[in-house]
Amino acid sequence: MRNRSAITALLCSATLLYGCQESSRAAKALDLQPRIAELTSRAINNLVFIEGGTFIMGDFGAVGEDGVWRPYFPPTIEEDQPHEVTLSSYSLSQHKTTWGDFDTYLLANDLPFIVQAFTKSWERTPFDQEPESRFFVEKPATVTWQEAKDYCQWLGAQTDLPLDLPTSAQWEFAGRNRGSQAWIFSTHDGKETSSDMKWYMHDTGEYVPVGSRLPANPLGLYDMADNGKEWVNDWFSETWYRENPKVTDPQGPDEGTQKIVRNLDFSFSRIGVPESFPSTFNDEWTLIVTNTFRCALQSAFPQGRAEP
Protein backbone atom coordinates (compact mmCIF):
# COMPACT_ATOMS: atom_id res chain seq x y z
CA MET A 1 0.00 0.00 0.00
CA ARG A 2 2.79 2.36 0.93
CA ASN A 3 4.50 1.74 -2.45
CA ARG A 4 1.22 2.30 -4.26
CA SER A 5 0.65 5.53 -2.32
CA ALA A 6 4.19 6.68 -3.11
CA ILE A 7 3.72 5.93 -6.80
CA THR A 8 0.38 7.73 -6.79
CA ALA A 9 1.94 10.76 -5.11
CA LEU A 10 4.80 10.75 -7.60
CA LEU A 11 2.39 10.59 -10.53
CA CYS A 12 0.35 13.43 -9.07
CA SER A 13 3.50 15.52 -8.64
CA ALA A 14 4.58 14.80 -12.20
CA THR A 15 1.12 15.75 -13.44
CA LEU A 16 1.26 19.02 -11.49
CA LEU A 17 4.77 19.75 -12.85
CA TYR A 18 3.66 19.01 -16.39
CA GLY A 19 0.64 21.21 -15.83
CA CYS A 20 2.88 24.03 -14.59
CA GLN A 21 5.14 23.65 -17.60
CA GLU A 22 2.16 23.73 -19.93
CA SER A 23 0.83 26.82 -18.16
CA SER A 24 4.25 28.45 -18.49
CA ARG A 25 4.33 27.69 -22.22
CA ALA A 26 0.82 29.04 -22.63
CA ALA A 27 1.74 32.23 -20.77
CA LYS A 28 4.84 32.62 -22.92
CA ALA A 29 2.76 32.17 -26.08
CA LEU A 30 0.25 34.77 -24.94
CA ASP A 31 3.07 37.24 -24.28
CA LEU A 32 5.01 36.39 -27.44
CA GLN A 33 2.40 36.81 -30.15
CA PRO A 34 1.67 40.50 -29.42
CA ARG A 35 5.42 41.18 -29.35
CA ILE A 36 5.92 39.54 -32.75
CA ALA A 37 2.89 41.34 -34.21
CA GLU A 38 4.16 44.72 -32.97
CA LEU A 39 7.69 44.04 -34.21
CA THR A 40 6.66 42.91 -37.70
CA SER A 41 4.24 45.81 -38.17
CA ARG A 42 6.87 48.35 -37.10
CA ALA A 43 9.59 46.68 -39.19
CA ILE A 44 7.47 47.00 -42.35
CA ASN A 45 6.48 50.59 -41.60
CA ASN A 46 10.10 51.59 -40.93
CA LEU A 47 11.44 50.35 -44.26
CA VAL A 48 12.81 53.25 -46.31
CA PHE A 49 12.53 52.72 -50.06
CA ILE A 50 15.73 53.68 -51.90
CA GLU A 51 15.58 54.10 -55.65
CA GLY A 52 18.54 52.43 -57.30
CA GLY A 53 21.13 54.05 -59.54
CA THR A 54 24.76 54.11 -60.61
CA PHE A 55 27.51 55.57 -58.45
CA ILE A 56 31.25 55.44 -57.83
CA MET A 57 31.76 53.16 -54.84
CA GLY A 58 34.91 53.24 -52.74
CA ASP A 59 37.28 56.15 -52.14
CA PHE A 60 35.94 58.42 -54.88
CA GLY A 61 38.45 61.14 -53.91
CA ALA A 62 38.47 64.60 -55.47
CA VAL A 63 40.12 66.54 -58.26
CA GLY A 64 42.20 69.43 -56.96
CA GLU A 65 42.70 72.85 -58.48
CA ASP A 66 45.67 71.40 -60.33
CA GLY A 67 43.35 68.95 -62.12
CA VAL A 68 44.88 65.91 -60.41
CA TRP A 69 42.62 63.31 -58.77
CA ARG A 70 43.68 62.21 -55.30
CA PRO A 71 42.11 59.75 -52.85
CA TYR A 72 40.64 61.02 -49.61
CA PHE A 73 42.34 58.32 -47.53
CA PRO A 74 45.56 57.10 -49.21
CA PRO A 75 46.36 54.33 -46.65
CA THR A 76 43.44 52.22 -47.89
CA ILE A 77 43.13 53.29 -51.51
CA GLU A 78 44.16 49.83 -52.75
CA GLU A 79 41.30 48.06 -50.97
CA ASP A 80 38.85 50.96 -51.38
CA GLN A 81 39.69 51.56 -55.03
CA PRO A 82 36.83 53.46 -56.70
CA HIS A 83 34.70 51.45 -59.12
CA GLU A 84 31.35 51.86 -60.84
CA VAL A 85 28.38 50.11 -59.25
CA THR A 86 24.80 49.97 -60.46
CA LEU A 87 22.15 49.04 -57.90
CA SER A 88 18.55 47.97 -58.28
CA SER A 89 16.08 49.66 -55.94
CA TYR A 90 15.76 48.23 -52.43
CA SER A 91 14.62 49.24 -48.95
CA LEU A 92 16.58 49.67 -45.74
CA SER A 93 15.43 49.87 -42.15
CA GLN A 94 15.56 53.44 -40.93
CA HIS A 95 16.94 52.28 -37.57
CA LYS A 96 19.46 49.77 -36.35
CA THR A 97 17.93 46.68 -34.75
CA THR A 98 17.35 47.29 -31.03
CA TRP A 99 17.80 44.97 -28.07
CA GLY A 100 14.02 44.94 -27.67
CA ASP A 101 13.64 43.68 -31.25
CA PHE A 102 16.42 41.13 -30.88
CA ASP A 103 15.05 39.84 -27.56
CA THR A 104 11.69 39.20 -29.24
CA TYR A 105 13.52 37.09 -31.83
CA LEU A 106 15.34 35.16 -29.09
CA LEU A 107 12.10 34.58 -27.19
CA ALA A 108 10.30 33.39 -30.32
CA ASN A 109 13.05 30.87 -31.09
CA ASP A 110 13.63 29.73 -27.50
CA LEU A 111 17.23 30.97 -27.62
CA PRO A 112 19.17 31.99 -24.50
CA PHE A 113 19.51 35.58 -23.33
CA ILE A 114 23.25 35.75 -22.81
CA VAL A 115 26.23 38.09 -22.84
CA GLN A 116 29.18 36.79 -24.85
CA ALA A 117 32.73 37.75 -23.95
CA PHE A 118 35.84 35.77 -24.78
CA THR A 119 35.08 32.05 -24.31
CA LYS A 120 32.42 32.60 -21.65
CA SER A 121 28.82 33.69 -21.61
CA TRP A 122 26.53 34.95 -18.88
CA GLU A 123 22.79 35.19 -18.62
CA ARG A 124 21.30 38.67 -18.91
CA THR A 125 17.88 40.15 -18.28
CA PRO A 126 15.77 40.30 -21.46
CA PHE A 127 13.71 43.36 -22.39
CA ASP A 128 15.87 45.49 -20.08
CA GLN A 129 14.01 48.68 -19.08
CA GLU A 130 16.96 50.40 -17.42
CA PRO A 131 18.08 53.33 -19.64
CA GLU A 132 21.64 53.20 -18.29
CA SER A 133 22.03 49.52 -19.13
CA ARG A 134 24.02 48.42 -22.15
CA PHE A 135 21.07 46.17 -23.01
CA PHE A 136 18.33 48.81 -22.72
CA VAL A 137 15.50 47.86 -25.09
CA GLU A 138 15.90 51.02 -27.19
CA LYS A 139 19.68 50.75 -27.69
CA PRO A 140 21.15 48.97 -30.74
CA ALA A 141 21.75 45.24 -30.33
CA THR A 142 25.41 44.22 -30.65
CA VAL A 143 25.61 40.65 -31.97
CA THR A 144 27.73 38.37 -34.15
CA TRP A 145 27.40 38.42 -37.94
CA GLN A 146 25.55 35.10 -37.97
CA GLU A 147 23.10 36.28 -35.30
CA ALA A 148 22.42 39.43 -37.33
CA LYS A 149 21.79 37.46 -40.51
CA ASP A 150 19.60 34.90 -38.71
CA TYR A 151 17.51 37.70 -37.21
CA CYS A 152 16.89 39.41 -40.57
CA GLN A 153 15.94 36.15 -42.27
CA TRP A 154 13.65 35.20 -39.36
CA LEU A 155 11.98 38.60 -39.63
CA GLY A 156 11.59 37.98 -43.34
CA ALA A 157 9.84 34.68 -42.64
CA GLN A 158 7.45 36.43 -40.22
CA THR A 159 6.57 39.15 -42.72
CA ASP A 160 6.76 37.03 -45.87
CA LEU A 161 9.26 39.54 -47.27
CA PRO A 162 12.80 38.92 -48.64
CA LEU A 163 14.64 40.51 -45.71
CA ASP A 164 18.37 40.00 -45.20
CA LEU A 165 21.43 42.01 -44.27
CA PRO A 166 22.21 44.78 -46.78
CA THR A 167 25.13 44.35 -49.13
CA SER A 168 28.13 46.59 -48.65
CA ALA A 169 27.19 48.49 -51.82
CA GLN A 170 23.62 49.01 -50.60
CA TRP A 171 24.86 50.31 -47.25
CA GLU A 172 27.31 52.73 -48.88
CA PHE A 173 24.78 53.98 -51.45
CA ALA A 174 22.33 54.75 -48.64
CA GLY A 175 24.95 56.19 -46.27
CA ARG A 176 26.07 58.57 -49.01
CA ASN A 177 22.56 59.80 -49.86
CA ARG A 178 22.23 57.67 -53.00
CA GLY A 179 25.95 57.66 -53.73
CA SER A 180 26.46 61.42 -53.70
CA GLN A 181 30.12 62.45 -53.94
CA ALA A 182 29.26 65.37 -51.67
CA TRP A 183 28.70 62.87 -48.84
CA ILE A 184 32.26 62.32 -47.64
CA PHE A 185 30.93 61.21 -44.24
CA SER A 186 27.84 59.06 -43.65
CA THR A 187 26.29 61.69 -41.39
CA HIS A 188 22.97 63.51 -41.80
CA ASP A 189 24.62 66.23 -43.90
CA GLY A 190 27.67 64.48 -45.34
CA LYS A 191 30.02 66.55 -43.22
CA GLU A 192 32.26 65.50 -40.36
CA THR A 193 30.78 65.96 -36.90
CA SER A 194 32.17 68.35 -34.33
CA SER A 195 35.15 67.20 -32.29
CA ASP A 196 33.00 66.92 -29.16
CA MET A 197 30.38 64.78 -30.91
CA LYS A 198 33.07 62.67 -32.56
CA TRP A 199 34.55 61.94 -29.14
CA TYR A 200 31.19 60.63 -27.92
CA MET A 201 30.55 58.65 -31.09
CA HIS A 202 33.97 57.05 -31.53
CA ASP A 203 36.12 57.23 -28.43
CA THR A 204 33.69 56.46 -25.63
CA GLY A 205 31.95 53.58 -27.36
CA GLU A 206 28.72 54.82 -25.78
CA TYR A 207 25.50 53.42 -27.19
CA VAL A 208 22.33 55.50 -27.01
CA PRO A 209 18.70 54.79 -27.97
CA VAL A 210 18.49 54.50 -31.75
CA GLY A 211 17.90 57.74 -33.60
CA SER A 212 18.44 59.92 -30.54
CA ARG A 213 21.79 61.60 -31.17
CA LEU A 214 22.04 62.77 -34.80
CA PRO A 215 19.27 63.74 -37.26
CA ALA A 216 18.29 61.37 -40.07
CA ASN A 217 20.00 61.72 -43.44
CA PRO A 218 17.92 62.98 -46.41
CA LEU A 219 16.70 59.44 -47.10
CA GLY A 220 15.30 59.18 -43.56
CA LEU A 221 17.98 56.83 -42.20
CA TYR A 222 19.33 57.21 -38.68
CA ASP A 223 22.68 56.31 -37.11
CA MET A 224 24.57 55.54 -40.32
CA ALA A 225 27.56 57.36 -38.81
CA ASP A 226 26.76 56.79 -35.17
CA ASN A 227 25.87 54.27 -32.48
CA GLY A 228 28.18 51.45 -33.53
CA LYS A 229 29.70 49.90 -36.64
CA GLU A 230 27.36 47.75 -38.76
CA TRP A 231 27.58 44.25 -40.20
CA VAL A 232 26.73 43.80 -43.89
CA ASN A 233 26.34 40.63 -45.90
CA ASP A 234 29.58 40.55 -47.92
CA TRP A 235 32.80 38.69 -47.34
CA PHE A 236 35.78 41.03 -47.08
CA SER A 237 38.52 41.13 -49.72
CA GLU A 238 41.29 43.67 -50.24
CA THR A 239 41.36 42.97 -53.99
CA TRP A 240 37.72 42.45 -54.95
CA TYR A 241 37.12 46.15 -55.66
CA ARG A 242 39.92 46.49 -58.19
CA GLU A 243 39.15 43.09 -59.73
CA ASN A 244 35.56 44.18 -60.42
CA PRO A 245 35.74 47.73 -61.80
CA LYS A 246 32.14 47.79 -63.09
CA VAL A 247 29.43 45.66 -61.45
CA THR A 248 25.66 45.50 -61.03
CA ASP A 249 24.12 44.56 -57.65
CA PRO A 250 27.44 43.22 -56.29
CA GLN A 251 27.34 40.60 -53.55
CA GLY A 252 31.09 40.58 -52.91
CA PRO A 253 33.35 37.50 -52.99
CA ASP A 254 31.83 34.02 -52.86
CA GLU A 255 33.89 33.10 -49.79
CA GLY A 256 36.32 34.48 -47.28
CA THR A 257 37.41 34.47 -43.65
CA GLN A 258 36.13 37.90 -42.59
CA LYS A 259 32.86 39.79 -42.97
CA ILE A 260 32.67 43.45 -43.92
CA VAL A 261 31.85 45.97 -41.22
CA ARG A 262 30.92 49.47 -42.34
CA ASN A 263 32.86 52.05 -40.45
CA LEU A 264 31.99 55.28 -38.64
CA ASP A 265 34.58 57.40 -40.45
CA PHE A 266 34.52 58.16 -44.18
CA SER A 267 31.34 57.15 -45.98
CA PHE A 268 33.34 54.73 -48.13
CA SER A 269 35.26 53.16 -45.21
CA ARG A 270 34.99 49.44 -44.60
CA ILE A 271 36.95 46.89 -42.63
CA GLY A 272 36.97 43.11 -42.52
CA VAL A 273 36.68 41.23 -39.25
CA PRO A 274 36.17 37.58 -38.28
CA GLU A 275 33.39 36.57 -35.89
CA SER A 276 36.00 35.60 -33.32
CA PHE A 277 39.76 35.64 -32.89
CA PRO A 278 42.34 34.63 -30.27
CA SER A 279 42.82 37.02 -27.39
CA THR A 280 46.18 38.68 -26.85
CA PHE A 281 45.67 38.28 -23.08
CA ASN A 282 45.35 34.52 -22.90
CA ASP A 283 46.04 31.83 -25.52
CA GLU A 284 43.00 29.87 -24.33
CA TRP A 285 40.58 32.78 -24.75
CA THR A 286 38.65 33.63 -27.90
CA LEU A 287 37.22 37.10 -28.37
CA ILE A 288 33.68 37.14 -29.78
CA VAL A 289 33.21 40.04 -32.21
CA THR A 290 29.87 41.84 -32.05
CA ASN A 291 28.53 44.85 -33.96
CA THR A 292 25.23 46.57 -34.67
CA PHE A 293 23.13 45.93 -37.78
CA ARG A 294 19.99 46.76 -39.70
CA CYS A 295 17.98 44.73 -42.23
CA ALA A 296 17.36 45.35 -45.92
CA LEU A 297 14.40 44.43 -48.10
CA GLN A 298 15.90 42.75 -51.14
CA SER A 299 13.14 43.76 -53.52
CA ALA A 300 13.02 46.42 -56.23
CA PHE A 301 9.55 47.43 -55.04
CA PRO A 302 8.43 48.96 -51.73
CA GLN A 303 7.54 46.41 -49.04
CA GLY A 304 8.00 43.54 -51.49
CA ARG A 305 4.99 44.46 -53.63
CA ALA A 306 4.98 43.03 -57.12
CA GLU A 307 5.44 45.31 -60.11
CA PRO A 308 2.11 47.01 -60.96
Side-chain angles (χ1 to χ4, degrees):
M1 286 294 292
R2 289 180 180 174
N3 288 340
R4 182 177 296 178
S5 298
I7 292 172
T8 301
L10 182 60
L11 288 173
C12 288
S13 298
T15 301
L16 286 172
L17 177 60
Y18 178 78
C20 289
Q21 290 174 337
E22 287 300 297
S23 297
S24 177
R25 291 192 188 100
K28 175 183 173 182
L30 287 172
D31 181 59
L32 176 60
Q33 294 310 313
R35 288 185 184 276
I36 294 178
E38 190 278 332
L39 169 58
T40 54
S41 174
R42 178 164 41 80
I44 292 173
N45 291 333
N46 285 348
L47 286 170
V48 175
F49 181 68
I50 300 170
E51 185 178 353
T54 299
F55 74 114
I56 300 301
M57 184 177 175
D59 188 348
F60 48 90
V63 176
E65 294 181 357
D66 57 2
V68 177
W69 175 89
R70 295 180 179 86
Y72 280 113
F73 195 53
T76 63
I77 187 58
E78 286 301 310
E79 61 189 58
D80 289 335
Q81 187 171 30
H83 60 290
E84 183 179 298
V85 168
T86 299
L87 289 179
S88 303
S89 299
Y90 62 101
S91 299
L92 195 60
S93 175
Q94 69 175 163
H95 290 298
K96 299 176 190 284
T97 302
T98 65
W99 278 117
D101 297 338
F102 194 72
D103 283 351
T104 296
Y105 155 75
L106 294 176
L107 183 66
N109 291 277
D110 201 24
L111 295 171
F113 300 95
I114 59 173
V115 183
Q116 293 176 293
F118 296 107
T119 54
K120 298 183 180 297
S121 62
W122 297 267
E123 290 187 8
R124 63 174 177 84
T125 301
F127 303 104
D128 195 330
Q129 299 297 317
E130 176 51 57
E132 299 303 316
S133 170
R134 170 189 166 191
F135 305 104
F136 179 49
V137 289
E138 296 179 13
K139 290 182 179 179
T142 52
V143 301
T144 67
W145 179 88
Q146 190 63 59
E147 288 173 325
K149 186 173 182 69
D150 289 348
Y151 170 90
C152 290
Q153 293 188 329
W154 169 82
L155 189 58
Q158 303 305 305
T159 57
D160 198 26
L161 295 174
L163 290 169
D164 203 341
L165 288 172
T167 66
S168 186
Q170 288 174 334
W171 192 100
E172 183 171 327
F173 188 68
R176 283 174 46 195
N177 189 24
R178 297 191 67 251
S180 169
Q181 293 192 13
W183 244 256
I184 301 174
F185 298 90
S186 52
T187 53
H188 58 289
D189 58 4
K191 299 178 174 59
E192 190 172 17
T193 55
S194 67
S195 58
D196 289 344
M197 180 63 72
K198 190 172 183 179
W199 182 80
Y200 279 110
M201 290 165 53
H202 295 210
D203 297 339
T204 67
E206 177 189 358
Y207 294 103
V208 297
V210 296
S212 66
R213 191 147 55 191
L214 293 177
N217 75 3
L219 298 176
L221 303 169
Y222 289 87
D223 295 345
M224 297 294 281
D226 184 22
N227 237 356
K229 300 172 184 178
E230 294 189 30
W231 291 116
V232 294
N233 214 24
D234 310 37
W235 290 107
F236 175 79
S237 168
E238 292 184 357
T239 62
W240 200 83
Y241 272 17
R242 59 181 179 267
E243 292 169 352
N244 295 273
K246 190 173 183 178
V247 285
T248 297
D249 293 327
Q251 306 296 309
D254 292 333
E255 58 185 11
T257 59
Q258 301 178 334
K259 286 295 183 179
I260 290 180
V261 172
R262 296 308 309 226
N263 215 335
L264 302 179
D265 298 315
F266 294 107
S267 61
F268 51 80
S269 294
R270 66 189 185 114
I271 57 175
V273 297
E275 282 201 298
S276 64
F277 54 85
S279 167
T280 57
F281 298 105
N282 188 320
D283 292 340
E284 297 180 358
W285 290 358
T286 299
L287 179 64
I288 306 298
V289 179
T290 59
N291 287 294
T292 69
F293 72 101
R294 71 185 75 215
C295 301
L297 176 62
Q298 302 296 349
S299 169
F301 307 100
Q303 297 181 21
R305 289 196 293 267
E307 184 176 4

